[in-house]
Amino acid sequence: QVQLVESGGGSVQAGGSLRLSCKASKSDYNYCMGWFRQAPGKEREGVATIRWDGQVEYADSVKGRFTISRDNANDNLFLQMDDLKPEDTAMYYCAARSPTCTLHSTFGAWGQGTQVTVSS
């Protein structure tokens, strides 16, 4: 089972940017990886996924503002978040699933999460 560790969260003002990173404990180019978030009192929701071949999927709420990418050579997953809004405030988690995935897939490997707080 791959282990995942997120980093890069923090507090920013609305309109600002953050870049989240997720380091995987082992190399497996066949993993599909994703970013999810959960705000207090709300259900966890999918933010973006990226397959091993680079195919991506985004939630409508983040399209045009967030960009998911991966560095297979170094087992890293990224989420560039621009034009952040207060409603983006949540705990963000990375996840992995083999071999493919969508925003609605069941993922077996999860990181511990990193907090993102956006103030107005």
Side-chain angles (χ1 to χ4, degrees):
Q1 181 81 325
V2 65
Q3 294 185 339
L4 306 168
V5 179
E6 304 95 335
S7 61
S11 296
V12 296
Q13 290 190 328
S17 298
L18 282 173
R19 187 183 193 223
L20 305 183
S21 299
C22 175
K23 176 70 174 178
S25 62
K26 66 177 184 178
S27 297
D28 190 332
Y29 295 170
N30 287 329
Y31 272 109
C32 183
M33 302 191 75
W35 287 100
F36 295 77
R37 65 187 182 186
Q38 187 167 22
K42 295 188 177 181
E43 293 187 355
R44 185 171 61 198
E45 64 174 345
V47 175
T49 61
I50 183 167
R51 294 189 345 177
W52 64 272
D53 59 358
Q55 182 172 325
V56 300
E57 180 185 13
Y58 293 98
D60 288 342
S61 60
V62 305
K63 282 180 181 177
R65 300 188 298 121
F66 290 11
T67 304
I68 189 171
S69 62
R70 63 192 294 171
D71 174 7
N72 288 337
N74 295 295
D75 310 316
N76 285 319
L77 176 72
F78 304 103
L79 184 68
Q80 177 66 40
M81 305 185 294
D82 297 318
D83 190 22
L84 282 161
K85 303 176 180 181
E87 52 263 43
D88 294 318
T89 295
M91 184 73 78
Y92 283 71
Y93 301 88
C94 71
R97 183 179 188 274
S98 181
T100 189
C101 68
T102 72
L103 289 173
H104 305 290
S105 297
T106 299
F107 283 71
W110 291 88
Q112 83 289 347
T114 186
Q115 178 67 36
V116 171
T117 303
V118 185
S119 58
S120 58

